């Protein structure tokens, strides 16, 4: 790294400018009906999709064209199913009668499509993980929201969830270890190995199916979903000695599904690693199973020991690095936006969803929980800076924090505080939710207004820089970006389903005053499930069936 020594006055000036900017934000959201604004953006996006891409799994807001993902050409419900619970939540919480009527009509339209058009008996290979978290999770959450908010016909969603769950569940039965191959043909039931990476399954993918499968068992009383999905853990923990010195609770991102042995040595909390850790904690929060809390705590201890670092810029931002060559190798400061979920996860792990002021008074509060709480705030601050310092106010897909590895190159964009860089191929934004997700959790757990200020700032940047306006119809839509640094932004032609399912939902809940995080647990696609009742678990004999 070829950096000259930064004078103290420059650091002081940067901090002063930052503090002034924070004070300037005081005039932002309090004078506005932010929930109404977010509802309006959702309805603009949804209406554009309904009018121009209805039923398609993939949609381009610029071209106004869509397509389905499967080779059969049949729809999977990728956008519709992923979005239904967001509409139900907004319908229930909106204070605007016109919006409530519109949400009610759109929910009815989507429900009729799910009931009459959506059919999973199709000759299409689908990714087990993505289909589980988006489609199965979306259907189960729609069932829950329909029952809770008394909107729609909950039976439609449950019946479709059972049908899809049965098709996905067969993926657990076709390898010697019970670890699913990466894909399955929904029609034939044949599981298919990953076409690349020597057939390896992504470690995060097959360990991010359990919330959905366990909730399906909890609703239906059929324990097979629970039993099959939890069985993936024993081979990886025992065959690799995950709790031993070599891994210390941190897992490589690929696993051979036939042997249960890890493949390669890359360890990270970004893609293919992230939700492994997320579902350890969330299974405990959802089901009360104590084993997963112990495993989560052990992994967090390993993360803090081996992956945690601070940038060498003016703000000394905290980040979770990557180990490309195992724990003994150097720590890379590459940081996926995906990792920004960790702020919310650590905060929930520390407090169990209770407000911080209440959690610290509980008998089990200890220095580890305080450390996790502090780290949650630090990582969320780092992720916010990935927005604040970018010209468009929107984060790139990946940043590299200023450290000794990797070495800065001249064509990398440099942040104003010199805390991070952006490589030329990482300047895109696909409407990801992880930062606003953590802001939502941190606000409701801490009560600190700054998280709402930051969230509103990000929301306005999305509105300003991702909106596309049809000059003929004067209608608006929102799309991904090729480049967040060049102004005006270079727009891509794709609306991710998680823009509707996650990003706008988490922004909306950030500004809602009635969110009880002890009663619901969000899956990794932001689909809320109710915390399980222990009496029903006992009646169904649903318990942890393995030991590491």
């Amino acid at each position: 790294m070829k950096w000259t020594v930064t004078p103290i006055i420059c650091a002081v000036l940067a901090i002063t400018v930052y503090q002034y900017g924070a004070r300037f934000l005081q005039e932002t959201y309090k004078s506005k009906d932010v929930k109404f604004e977010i509802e309006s953006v959702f309805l603009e996006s949804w209406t554009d999709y309904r009018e121009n891409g209805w039923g398609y799994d993939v949609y381009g807001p610029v071209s106004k064209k869509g397509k389905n993902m499967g080779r059969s050409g049949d729809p999977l419900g990728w956008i519709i199913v992923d979005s239904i619970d967001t509409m139900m939540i907004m319908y229930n919480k909106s204070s605007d009668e016109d919006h409530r009527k519109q949400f009610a009509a759109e929910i009815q339209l989507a429900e009729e499509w799910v009931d009459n058009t959506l059919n999973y008996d199709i000759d299409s290979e689908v990714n087990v993980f993505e289909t589980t978290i988006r489609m199965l999770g979306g259907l189960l959450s729609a069932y829950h929201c329909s029952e809770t908010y008394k909107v729609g016909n909950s039976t439609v969603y449950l019946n479709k969830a059972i049908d899809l769950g049965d098709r996905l569940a067969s993926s657990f039965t076709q390898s010697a270890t019970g670890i699913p191959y990466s894909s399955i043909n929904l029609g034939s039931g044949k599981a298919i190995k990953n076409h690349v990476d020597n057939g390896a399954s992504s470690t995060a993918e097959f360990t991010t199916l359990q919330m959905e499968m366990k909730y399906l068992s909890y609703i239906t009383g059929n324990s097979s979903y629970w039993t099959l999905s939890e069985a993936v853990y024993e081979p990886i923990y025992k065959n690799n000695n995950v709790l031993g010195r070599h891994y210390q609770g941190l897992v490589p991102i690929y696993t051979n599904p036939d042997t249960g042995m890890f493949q390669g040595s890359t360890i990270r909390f970004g893609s293919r690693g992230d939700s492994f850790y997320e579902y350890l904690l969330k299974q405990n929060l959802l089901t009360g199973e104590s084993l997963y809390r112990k495993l989560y705590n052990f992994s967090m201890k390993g993360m803090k020991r081996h992956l945690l670092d601070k940038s060498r810029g003016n703000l000394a931002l905290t980040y979770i690095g990557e180990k490309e060559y195992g724990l003994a190798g150097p720590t890379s400061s590459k940081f996926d936006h995906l990792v920004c979920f960790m702020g919310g996860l650590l905060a929930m792990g520390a407090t169990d969803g209770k407000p911080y002021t209440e959690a610290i008074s509980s008998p089990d509060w200890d220095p580890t929980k305080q450390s996790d709480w502090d780290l949650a705030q630090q990582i969320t601050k780092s992720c916010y800076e990935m927005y604040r310092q970018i010209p468009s106010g929107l984060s790139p897909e990946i940043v590299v924090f200023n450290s000794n590895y990797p070495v800065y190159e001249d064509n990398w964009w440099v942040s104003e505080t010199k805390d991070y860089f952006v490589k030329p191929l990482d300047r895109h934004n696909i409407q990801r939710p992880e930062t606003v997700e953590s802001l939502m959790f941190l606000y409701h757990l801490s009560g600190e207004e700054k998280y709402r200020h930051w969230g509103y700032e990000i929301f306005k940047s999305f509105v300003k820089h991702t909106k596309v306006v049809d000059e003929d119809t004067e209608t608006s839509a929102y799309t991904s970006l090729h480049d967040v640094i060049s102004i005006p932004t270079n727009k891509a032609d794709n609306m991710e389903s998680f823009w509707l399912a996650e990003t706008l939902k988490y922004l909306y809940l950030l500004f809602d005053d009635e969110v009880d995080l002890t009663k619901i647990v969000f899956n990794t696609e932001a689909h809320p499930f109710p915390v399980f009742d222990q009496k029903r678990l006992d009646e169904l004999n649903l318990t942890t069936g393995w030991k590491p």
Side-chain angles (χ1 to χ4, degrees):
M1 182 71 63
K2 297 180 180 178
W3 284 99
T4 57
V5 177
T6 304
I8 295 177
I9 190 171
C10 291
V12 173
L13 179 61
I15 294 171
T16 302
V17 169
Y18 172 76
Q19 291 175 337
Y20 175 80
R23 288 196 299 270
F24 180 75
L25 283 175
Q26 296 300 315
E27 60 84 27
T28 54
Y29 76 87
K30 285 201 170 182
S31 62
K32 306 175 187 295
D33 186 348
V34 182
K35 287 171 68 176
F36 179 86
E37 292 184 46
I38 298 170
E39 289 167 15
S40 298
V41 168
F42 180 96
L43 287 169
E44 286 178 321
S45 292
W46 174 265
T47 302
D48 174 66
Y49 167 72
R50 172 172 50 75
E51 292 181 348
N52 299 290
W54 184 245
Y56 286 120
D57 299 324
V58 179
Y59 177 63
V62 177
S63 65
K64 307 299 183 188
K65 295 180 180 179
K67 63 180 180 180
N68 287 325
M69 298 165 56
R71 69 183 181 190
S72 69
D74 297 293
L76 296 170
W78 217 248
I79 294 176
I80 294 176
V81 172
D82 221 11
S83 306
I84 292 173
D85 63 356
T86 304
M87 291 193 287
M88 289 179 170
I89 290 169
M90 291 183 176
Y91 164 82
N92 180 65
K93 294 178 176 291
S94 178
S95 60
D96 184 84
E97 193 58 33
D98 288 339
H99 277 186
R100 280 179 56 84
K101 290 179 180 178
Q102 189 170 352
F103 281 124
E106 301 297 345
I107 291 167
Q108 182 63 33
L109 185 66
E111 184 176 293
E112 290 173 356
W113 186 89
V114 169
D115 195 23
N116 300 321
T117 302
L118 184 60
N119 177 13
Y120 287 120
D121 187 13
I122 54 177
D123 181 25
S124 286
E125 295 178 10
V126 301
N127 179 274
V128 173
F129 160 73
E130 295 287 0
T131 306
T132 298
I133 66 168
R134 300 190 195 214
M135 299 300 93
L136 183 57
L139 291 166
L140 290 170
S141 181
Y143 164 79
H144 163 64
C145 290
S146 178
E147 289 274 298
T148 303
Y149 304 139
K150 307 304 179 186
V151 56
N153 181 356
S154 63
T155 304
V156 169
Y157 307 111
L158 179 57
N159 287 342
K160 198 68 67 173
I162 293 171
D163 174 66
L164 179 59
D166 287 342
R167 296 176 189 278
L168 293 169
S170 66
S171 65
F172 294 97
T173 66
Q174 299 182 49
S175 72
T177 62
I179 295 173
Y181 298 153
S182 64
S183 300
I184 191 167
N185 186 299
L186 290 177
S188 69
K190 178 178 173 57
I192 302 101
K193 284 188 177 181
N194 190 355
H195 297 298
V196 294
D197 304 313
N198 296 317
S201 294
S202 165
T203 306
E205 290 190 1
F206 68 79
T207 55
T208 310
L209 312 170
Q210 289 67 32
M211 284 181 65
E212 297 78 7
M213 290 294 175
K214 289 183 175 183
Y215 187 32
L216 193 55
S217 284
Y218 181 81
I219 296 170
T220 64
N222 181 348
S223 63
S224 63
Y225 309 114
W226 179 298
T227 303
L228 289 169
S229 65
E230 75 169 357
V232 305
Y233 286 107
E234 188 166 358
I236 61 170
Y237 271 90
K238 288 187 175 180
N239 295 0
N240 300 282
N241 191 18
V242 172
L243 303 181
R245 176 175 291 186
H246 187 70
Y247 289 114
Q248 299 182 43
L250 303 175
V251 298
I253 62 174
Y254 291 110
T255 302
N256 184 317
D258 293 316
T259 66
M261 299 298 294
F262 292 138
Q263 184 170 301
S265 55
T266 299
I267 293 172
R268 65 187 182 214
F269 276 61
S271 62
R272 303 188 183 278
D274 48 4
S275 49
F276 168 84
Y277 308 99
E278 180 183 4
Y279 270 39
L280 291 180
L281 176 64
K282 288 187 174 180
Q283 282 181 89
N284 170 253
L285 296 174
L286 184 69
T287 71
E289 294 171 275
S290 60
L291 173 60
Y292 296 103
R293 172 66 67 128
K294 294 175 183 176
L295 296 176
Y296 165 80
N297 288 339
F298 193 84
S299 293
M300 293 306 100
K301 182 178 180 181
M303 177 270 289
K304 287 188 278 188
R305 179 185 296 125
H306 293 286
L307 302 181
L308 210 56
D309 205 347
K310 289 184 179 292
S311 62
R312 275 57 167 176
N314 297 334
L315 298 181
L317 299 175
T318 301
Y319 66 89
I320 300 172
E322 300 183 357
K323 291 283 191 179
E324 299 176 74
Y325 308 103
L327 295 186
T331 303
S332 167
S333 61
K334 170 180 169 287
F335 187 91
D336 295 2
H337 185 277
L338 285 166
V339 185
C340 290
F341 84 98
M342 280 299 297
L345 191 75
L346 285 162
M348 284 294 291
T351 65
D352 291 331
K354 302 172 185 175
Y356 172 70
T357 53
E358 179 183 338
I360 59 175
S361 300
S362 63
D364 62 346
W365 190 261
D366 58 27
T368 298
K369 290 190 174 184
Q370 185 63 54
S371 170
D372 287 355
W373 174 257
D374 294 340
L375 180 57
Q377 296 179 91
Q378 293 163 13
I379 291 175
T380 302
K381 169 66 169 14
S382 299
C383 291
Y384 165 66
E385 290 295 331
M386 290 164 56
Y387 286 77
R388 188 189 72 82
Q389 298 189 44
I390 297 293
S392 67
L394 295 172
S395 174
E397 179 74 357
I398 299 169
V399 303
V400 177
F401 281 100
N402 177 3
S403 70
N404 296 322
Y405 177 79
V407 178
Y408 163 76
E409 296 182 15
D410 291 338
N411 65 341
W412 295 5
W413 183 86
V414 185
S415 69
E416 65 185 56
T417 61
K418 297 180 173 57
D419 282 281
Y420 65 84
F421 316 106
V422 182
K423 295 181 180 181
L425 296 179
D426 297 334
R427 294 160 70 122
H428 54 290
N429 177 291
I430 59 172
Q431 306 169 298
R432 285 202 184 277
E434 290 79 18
T435 294
V436 296
E437 171 185 351
S438 285
L439 293 178
M440 188 278 290
F441 283 110
L442 264 294
Y443 171 74
H444 287 293
L445 296 173
S446 73
E448 292 189 41
E449 291 291 337
K450 69 180 180 182
Y451 296 115
R452 279 185 167 176
H453 289 304
W454 294 357
Y456 188 67
E457 184 182 344
I458 291 170
F459 170 67
K460 296 303 288 184
S461 294
F462 272 121
V463 172
K464 181 178 181 179
H465 293 291
T466 72
K467 178 186 281 191
V468 290
V469 179
D470 187 316
E471 295 181 357
D472 294 331
T473 62
E474 297 184 348
T475 57
S476 298
Y478 299 84
T479 194
S480 300
L481 300 176
H482 289 302
D483 188 343
V484 297
I485 293 172
S486 299
I487 303 294
T489 52
N490 181 11
K491 294 175 175 61
D493 187 25
N494 184 56
M495 180 190 73
E496 292 285 349
S497 69
F498 49 70
W499 166 245
L500 302 174
E502 297 188 75
T503 306
L504 290 176
K505 181 188 292 159
Y506 280 130
L507 279 166
Y508 190 76
L509 294 175
L510 170 62
F511 292 96
D512 184 59
D513 294 327
E514 298 180 357
V515 176
D516 187 346
L517 295 173
T518 66
K519 299 291 178 60
I520 55 172
V521 183
F522 294 91
N523 86 335
T524 196
E525 188 74 6
H527 296 306
F529 300 161
V531 171
F532 294 178
D533 178 70
Q534 186 60 52
K535 182 179 179 181
R536 177 161 175 79
L537 289 174
D538 293 341
E539 291 173 350
L540 298 174
N541 195 29
L542 295 175
T543 60
T544 309
W546 71 282
K547 294 180 181 180

